[in-house]
Amino acid sequence: MCKLKKLAFFFLFFLFALTKSGVSQTTAHKRIDSLNDLLWKTVFLDFEKAVKIGDETIQLAKGSNYSIGLANTYAKLGVLYDINGKPEKALPYFLNAIKIQEEIRDSAGLSFSYNNLGLMYYAQYNYKEAYKYLTISLAIDKSRNDLKRAAGAMVNLGIINTYLDSLDRSLQLYNEALAIHKSSNDSAGMMTCISNMGSVYYYKKDFKMALNYYLQNEVFLRLSGITEKKSSAYNNLANTYSKLKQFDKALEFAFKDLELCTSNQLINRKQFAYESLNDIYVDMGDYKNAHVYLNKYIALRDSILNEDRNASIAEMQTKYETEKKDKELIRINAEKDKEVQRRLTQRNFMIAVIVVITLLLLIIVLAFRSKQRINKLLNEKNELNEENIKQKEVLIAEVHHRVKNNLQLINSIIDMQSRNYEDEKTITAVKDIQKRVGAIALLHQFLYQKDSIESVEMQQYISELVTGLKNSFKSDDKKIEVVCEVENLRLHINTAVPLGLIINELFTNSFKHAFANKNEGQVKIVLRKFDDLLELEVSDDGVGSNETNSNNFGKLMIRSLSRQLQAEWKVKNENGLKNVFLIKKFK
C-alpha cells in the first residue's frame, strides 16, 4: 500500500510538471508575439528602442525554441536596418529569417521576408536582385491565394520593370493588380495601379495614353477626397499637358495643385508644384515666369531642409538637458550658433551653384535641340549633294564648338565667384564643379575637332582628360603615376559624357584622399569591351575606402550616371581602392 501511494505521488508530480511546462511555454510564445507586434510599431518611430526590443525578443525566442517567433523578429529587424540606410546589417537578418521560414514551411513569413529583401535591393538601385526576390514573393502569394498581397507584389514588380525598361511587362503587372483590386472594390489599390500605368505611358512618351490614365485617377480622387494624392494627380496632369503643348490646361492643373497645397499646408508637395510651373514656363519659352517659380522652389526647398534640421537640433538639445550639466549646454549652444552661420554660407553658395547649373542645362538643352533640328533636316533631304551635306556637318561642328566655348565661359564665371569665398570646403566644392564642367567641355572640343560629330575616340579623350586633372593637382612632393589602359574604342556622345564624368569624379577622389600618407602611388584607368559589355575600372594603391574620404554628392552622381548606363557598380578594397563598372547600355 505504501509503494502504491509513492507511485501515485510521483505520477501526479510528473503530470503537474508537464502541465506547468506547457503553460509556461505558451505564455512565453504569447510574450514573444506581443514583443514582435511592439517591435513592428517601433520600427518606423524609434531606431534605438526597436533594436533593444529586437535583441530581447531574439533571446526569449531562442530560449523557448520558438522558431516562427524568432524568424518574425529577424525579418522585422531586417526592415529596421534597411529603412535606416544600413543594408549590410539588414541582409543577414533577412537571410536568417528565410532559412528558418523555409525549414518550418512558413509561407506567409517567407512572402514577407522575400518582399522586403527585394525592396532593400530596390533602394540600392540593384534592380536585378530586387526583381528576383519580388518574383519569389509573388509566386508564394499566388500559391497561398493571398490576392491582396499578390497585388501589392505586382505593383512593386511593375515599378522595378519600369527601371529595367521593361515597360510592357510593367503594364501587364499593373493590369493584373488592377483586376484584383476591382474584384475586392479596393479604391486605393485601383488608384495606385491607374496612376502608375499613366506614369509608364509617360516614360514611353505616349503622352495621350498617359493623360487618359491620369484623368481616370483624378476622377477617383475627386470622389475619395484624399488631399495629398489629389496634389500628385494634379501635378501629373500638369506635366503631361505641358508635354502635349496644351499649356493652358497645364497651367490650370499646376495652379490647382499650388492652391490645394497652400490651403491644406502641404509644404512638401508645394515645392513640386513650383518646380512644375518652372518646367511649364520653360517649355512655353516664358523664361521670366520660369525664373520666378524656380526661385520660389529653391526658397521653399531650403526652408523645408532648415525646418528638418532645426527639429533635429531641438531634439538633441532636449536629450542633453537631461544628461549634461550647464557648462556642457553652453558649449552646445555656441556650436549651434557656428552651425547656423555655416548653413547660411552653404545656402548662399548652393543658390549660386543652382543658378549656374540651370544656365548650363539651358545651354545644353538649346544646343541639343538645335542639333536635333539639323539631324532631322539631314534625314529628310536624302537627295542633297555632297557639298550641302558637308555644310550641315560644319554647322553641327559649330554647335559643339559654341557649347564648348559656353562651358568654358561658365567655368570662368564659377572661378570668379569662388574668389569671394574664404571657406576651404566651399572653394573645394567650386573646383570640383569646374572639373565636371571641364570634362564635358573637353568632350565637345573633341567632337568639333575630329572627323565624327557624334562619337569620340575614348583612348585620346581619357588620356587628355586625366592629364588635365593631374596637372590641376599641383603637388611637387608626391610622385603619382597615372596608367591608362584604354582600348581603341569610338563611343557615342551619350555614352562618353557619363563615362567622362565618372572618371573625373573617381580620379579626383583618388588624388585628394588616396595618398594622404604616401609620397608616391599609382592611379590606373582601364576601359575595355568584351562580349556585350563595356568594362570601366578606376583604381589606386592608396589607403582604400573609409568614411573620411567619401563624397556623398559624388557617390550620388556616380550612382545616377551608372543607372543611366545600366551599369553594375562594384567597389573593392584590394591593395587600395578599386571601382569596377560593367556597362550594358552603350553604343
Side-chain angles (χ1 to χ4, degrees):
M1 182 66 69
C2 184
K3 287 183 178 180
L4 286 172
K5 285 182 179 179
K6 285 184 178 179
L7 285 170
F9 173 77
F10 282 121
F11 176 75
L12 289 171
F13 179 79
F14 174 75
L15 187 63
F16 172 75
L18 190 64
T19 305
K20 186 177 180 181
S21 173
V23 171
S24 176
Q25 190 177 49
T26 302
T27 303
H29 289 182
K30 287 182 178 179
R31 170 67 176 157
I32 292 164
D33 290 339
S34 177
L35 283 171
N36 269 326
D37 290 340
L38 179 61
L39 171 61
W40 188 239
K41 292 175 182 176
T42 315
V43 159
F44 304 96
L45 300 174
D46 189 332
F47 175 80
E48 298 296 336
K49 185 178 179 181
V51 170
K52 289 179 182 178
I53 295 171
D55 290 341
E56 180 186 351
T57 311
I58 287 172
Q59 294 304 316
L60 284 172
K62 286 182 177 178
S64 62
N65 199 27
Y66 187 28
S67 298
I68 192 168
L70 181 61
N72 286 340
T73 308
Y74 282 146
K76 289 175 172 64
L77 284 172
V79 174
L80 172 69
Y81 283 108
D82 176 35
I83 65 176
N84 282 278
K86 299 178 180 180
E88 71 283 353
K89 289 190 176 181
L91 182 59
Y93 283 109
F94 282 131
L95 295 178
N96 284 333
I98 289 168
K99 181 180 178 182
I100 295 170
Q101 288 158 347
E102 285 179 341
E103 289 173 355
I104 63 177
R105 297 183 179 181
D106 178 14
S107 57
L110 279 170
S111 170
F112 178 88
S113 297
Y114 277 123
N115 183 69
N116 283 286
L117 182 57
L119 294 177
M120 184 195 78
Y121 279 113
Y122 167 74
Q124 295 178 274
Y125 306 102
N126 189 340
Y127 302 126
K128 185 177 179 181
E129 288 297 301
Y131 180 86
K132 171 183 171 183
Y133 291 112
L134 286 169
T135 301
I136 296 173
S137 175
L138 176 58
I140 294 170
D141 292 334
K142 285 184 174 180
S143 69
R144 296 175 61 244
N145 200 30
D146 190 342
L147 297 181
K148 184 175 181 179
R149 292 184 71 168
M154 288 173 188
V155 170
N156 289 336
L157 277 168
I159 295 169
I160 298 297
N161 276 283
T162 301
Y163 284 104
L164 292 172
D165 289 334
S166 300
L167 301 179
D168 290 333
R169 177 57 179 158
S170 292
L171 289 172
Q172 182 184 349
L173 288 161
Y174 290 142
N175 273 311
E176 288 181 38
L178 181 60
I180 293 171
H181 290 310
K182 282 182 177 179
S183 66
S184 61
N185 199 27
D186 182 357
S187 59
M190 285 189 281
M191 284 190 288
T192 299
C193 293
I194 290 169
S195 178
N196 287 2
M197 289 168 77
S199 297
V200 171
Y201 281 111
Y202 189 92
Y203 296 142
K204 293 179 79 171
K205 296 185 178 180
D206 188 348
F207 300 118
K208 289 184 178 179
M209 284 295 291
L211 180 62
N212 178 39
Y213 283 99
Y214 285 150
L215 287 171
Q216 289 183 50
N217 186 49
E218 194 265 338
V219 171
F220 266 103
L221 286 166
R222 205 184 311 145
L223 297 172
S224 70
I226 304 174
T227 305
E228 187 153 353
K229 288 193 175 183
K230 273 187 181 179
S231 171
S232 177
Y234 289 157
N235 192 268
N236 287 335
L237 284 167
N239 292 331
T240 307
Y241 275 124
S242 182
K243 294 298 181 184
L244 291 168
K245 306 299 181 186
Q246 297 181 35
F247 297 119
D248 289 340
K249 281 285 188 181
L251 289 172
E252 176 188 340
F253 281 100
F255 282 113
K256 270 188 178 181
D257 185 17
L258 182 59
E259 182 182 354
L260 183 73
C261 293
T262 303
S263 60
N264 290 277
Q265 296 184 339
L266 303 176
I267 305 301
N268 282 318
R269 291 295 318 168
K270 190 174 182 179
Q271 64 176 324
F272 300 123
Y274 284 143
E275 186 180 26
S276 291
L277 281 165
N278 168 65
D279 293 338
I280 292 166
Y281 280 119
V282 168
D283 288 342
M284 292 172 66
D286 186 351
Y287 298 111
K288 182 179 179 181
N289 276 318
H291 182 68
V292 169
Y293 285 102
L294 176 63
N295 286 337
K296 288 185 177 183
Y297 164 70
I298 292 168
L300 182 57
R301 186 198 59 188
D302 288 349
S303 173
I304 292 168
L305 289 173
N306 285 334
E307 285 179 7
D308 291 340
R309 291 170 182 170
N310 289 338
S312 298
I313 292 170
E315 183 181 351
M316 289 173 63
Q317 285 181 323
T318 302
K319 290 181 180 179
Y320 271 100
E321 283 172 357
T322 59
E323 299 173 0
K324 301 293 182 179
K325 295 181 180 180
D326 292 340
K327 185 178 177 180
E328 184 68 4
L329 283 174
I330 293 170
R331 186 184 67 81
I332 291 170
N333 286 330
E335 288 180 353
K336 179 186 172 185
D337 290 337
K338 291 180 182 178
E339 180 69 6
V340 170
Q341 188 60 42
R342 185 181 67 82
R343 286 176 183 163
L344 287 171
T345 304
Q346 282 185 340
R347 178 186 171 183
N348 293 334
F349 166 71
M350 286 303 298
I351 290 172
V353 169
I354 288 169
V355 170
V356 171
I357 291 173
T358 303
L359 289 172
L360 170 63
L361 290 174
L362 284 173
I363 291 168
I364 291 173
V365 168
L366 289 172
F368 181 73
R369 287 181 176 176
S370 176
K371 179 183 171 184
Q372 282 186 319
R373 285 196 294 271
I374 294 170
N375 284 337
K376 186 177 180 181
L377 288 171
L378 287 171
N379 291 330
E380 290 175 349
K381 298 181 180 180
N382 292 324
E383 297 177 2
L384 287 174
N385 56 39
E386 185 177 354
E387 186 62 28
N388 285 337
I389 293 173
K390 286 181 179 179
Q391 288 177 5
K392 298 299 181 184
E393 291 178 345
V394 169
L395 286 173
I396 296 173
E398 180 63 18
V399 169
H400 288 302
H401 190 186
R402 291 187 181 185
V403 170
K404 188 268 294 183
N405 288 343
N406 286 329
L407 289 170
Q408 288 181 337
L409 176 61
I410 288 171
N411 245 345
S412 299
I413 293 170
I414 295 172
D415 185 59
M416 286 187 289
Q417 180 69 30
S418 68
R419 295 172 189 172
N420 296 325
Y421 299 110
E422 296 179 357
D423 179 59
E424 191 63 29
K425 289 184 179 179
T426 302
I427 293 171
T428 301
V430 171
K431 287 183 179 178
D432 287 345
I433 291 172
Q434 286 183 285
K435 291 186 179 73
R436 293 165 189 146
V437 175
I440 301 173
L442 179 62
L443 188 138
H444 281 280
Q445 179 179 324
F446 266 71
L447 288 170
Y448 81 78
Q449 287 182 343
K450 305 300 178 182
D451 293 334
S452 176
I453 56 175
E454 289 189 341
S455 60
V456 179
E457 292 178 2
M458 295 305 293
Q459 194 175 66
Q460 189 176 358
Y461 169 61
I462 292 174
S463 176
E464 291 196 21
L465 175 63
V466 299
T467 299
L469 289 171
K470 182 181 178 183
N471 291 339
S472 70
F473 291 94
K474 299 177 181 177
S475 180
D476 299 326
D477 56 334
K478 293 182 184 290
K479 296 181 179 179
I480 309 302
E481 180 187 11
V482 178
V483 177
C484 289
E485 295 181 3
V486 180
E487 289 184 1
N488 190 18
L489 299 171
R490 182 179 285 276
L491 298 179
H492 192 275
I493 183 173
N494 290 343
T495 304
V497 168
L499 280 178
L501 288 172
I502 290 171
I503 292 168
N504 173 84
E505 201 66 28
L506 294 174
F507 188 93
T508 300
N509 194 57
S510 292
F511 262 74
K512 280 184 180 179
H513 307 291
F515 311 107
N517 301 318
K518 297 178 69 175
N519 291 324
E520 60 181 17
Q522 184 186 85
V523 180
K524 187 176 182 181
I525 299 172
V526 178
L527 182 65
R528 55 177 171 250
K529 180 184 175 185
F530 60 93
D531 297 331
D532 295 327
L533 295 174
L534 187 67
E535 183 184 43
L536 171 65
E537 178 186 312
V538 182
S539 61
D540 61 64
D541 59 357
V543 296
S545 177
N546 57 59
E547 290 298 320
T548 60
N549 63 15
S550 65
N551 182 337
N552 288 334
F553 177 77
K555 282 184 178 178
L556 203 64
M557 188 177 75
I558 293 173
R559 192 170 288 137
S560 176
L561 294 168
S562 300
R563 197 160 61 237
Q564 181 181 333
L565 294 170
Q566 293 186 6
E568 183 181 358
W569 178 20
K570 297 180 180 178
V571 182
K572 304 176 183 177
N573 278 298
E574 297 177 356
N575 298 321
L577 181 64
K578 180 186 289 186
N579 290 270
V580 179
F581 300 83
L582 295 177
I583 301 164
K584 300 176 184 176
K585 185 179 179 181
F586 68 96
K587 55 182 179 178

